[in-house]
Every structure is written in C-alpha cells, then in structure tokens.
C-alpha cells in the first residue's frame, strides 16, 4: 500500500523546532542558519572521513543524530526566508524534473547546465549580498 506524502509532519516539526531558535535579528538569523547548516554538514563529512581514511567505525546512529541537526538548520533557514516547506520541496522537484526529464540521473546534465544557470547563480548571490548589506554589518547583536 502506497503511503501518501503529507507536509503535516514537516509543519509540526517546524512548530516544535521554532521554540529552540535563538532570538536574533533577520540578518543574524540568516547568518546563523547558513553557518550552522554548513557546520553540521561538516560534522557529517568529518565522521565519514574518519571512517573511510582513519580507521574509525562509521556510526549510523551518530549520522542520524547529525542529520537531525542538519534538518533543524534547514528548517531554520526556511523560516528566515519566509517560505513554506511545500515551496522548497516542490520547487526542488520541478528543478530536478527540468534537469532530468527522463527522471534518471544523467552525468552530462549535472556537469553542463549552461551559461544561463551560471548567470542565475551569480544573480542569486548578488541578491543575497545586497540583502545582507541592507540589513547592516552589525556586531552579531540585533540592532
């Protein structure tokens, strides 16, 4: 029996996670979310690196725990950007369907996304930096 996906679980998680977010201004919340996301992803990478190259065991429980932290920061970033889970996930599916219309990964499509994709990325970074600049440089404390 196929189980139908529902955003209810994600939305309920968001309500619970919201209580544990720090009270920061918008600029600092954005920075905290992206830095935290990067840090948690780095912890996962470090754990796997030690398992592959330094003789440590790869602990699935540890990876799942860190994955939970990644989800917390993804949800935090989603909230800072004022977007719903549906918008994030459905937008990603549309992007993937456009890139891989056969619904199969094709390496050349992953490598060659064309100049337009590169230009869009540059525009997105420019927009992000303008937004950060508009929010002020700050000292890490909300104004």
């Amino acid at each position: 029996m196929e189980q139908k996906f529902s955003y209810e679980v994600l939305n309920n998680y968001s309500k619970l996670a919201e209580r544990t977010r720090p009270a920061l201004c918008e600029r600092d919340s954005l920075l905290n979310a992206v830095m935290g996301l990067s840090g948690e992803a780095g912890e996962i990478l470090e754990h796997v690196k030690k398992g592959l190259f330094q003789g440590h065991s790869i602990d699935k429980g540890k990876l799942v725990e860190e994955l939970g932290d990644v989800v917390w920061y993804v949800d935090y970033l989603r909230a800072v950007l004022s977007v719903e889970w549906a918008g994030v996930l459905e937008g990603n599916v549309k992007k993937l369907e456009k890139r891989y219309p056969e619904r199969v990964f094709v390496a050349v499509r992953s490598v060659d996304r064309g100049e337009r994709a590169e230009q869009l990325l540059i525009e997105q970074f420019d927009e992000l930096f303008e937004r950060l600049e508009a929010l002020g440089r700050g000292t890490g404390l909300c104004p």
Side-chain angles (χ1 to χ4, degrees):
M1 182 167 119
E2 186 177 320
Q3 187 174 1
K4 196 167 189 170
F5 177 78
S6 168
Y7 290 105
E8 184 178 355
V9 171
L10 291 171
N11 292 330
N12 287 340
Y13 172 83
S14 295
K15 288 175 188 170
L16 294 170
E18 181 179 22
R19 300 183 313 197
T20 63
R21 292 184 202 133
L24 300 172
C25 63
E26 184 181 9
R27 179 189 61 94
D28 290 352
S29 291
L30 176 64
L31 291 171
N32 190 26
V34 296
M35 289 177 182
L37 179 57
S38 179
E40 294 300 336
E43 287 188 37
I44 291 173
L45 181 62
E46 181 71 13
H47 185 75
V48 172
K49 179 198 77 170
K50 286 181 178 182
L52 293 175
F53 303 112
Q54 298 174 5
H56 295 241
S57 62
I58 295 178
D59 181 346
K60 181 179 177 180
K62 173 72 173 161
L63 290 175
V64 169
E65 179 182 323
E66 295 302 333
L67 183 60
D69 293 341
V70 167
V71 170
W72 188 91
Y73 278 106
V74 167
D75 182 61
Y76 183 19
L77 180 58
R78 178 208 56 76
V80 170
L81 298 173
S82 299
V83 294
E84 297 297 322
W85 276 111
V88 173
L89 300 177
E90 291 168 13
N92 183 254
V93 167
K94 286 179 185 174
K95 178 183 81 171
L96 293 173
E97 286 175 342
K98 183 176 179 184
R99 187 177 300 155
Y100 307 108
E102 302 86 6
R103 296 179 183 241
V104 175
F105 177 79
V106 179
V108 71
R109 288 220 174 101
S110 177
V111 174
D112 182 17
R113 297 184 191 172
E115 291 180 23
R116 180 66 186 137
E118 183 178 336
Q119 183 58 38
L120 285 173
L121 185 60
I122 291 168
E123 289 170 9
Q124 288 172 348
F125 274 111
D126 287 345
E127 183 180 318
L128 176 60
F129 286 123
E130 286 174 14
R131 185 172 175 202
L132 284 172
E133 205 166 87
L135 292 171
R137 298 198 185 272
T139 61
L141 302 174
C142 294

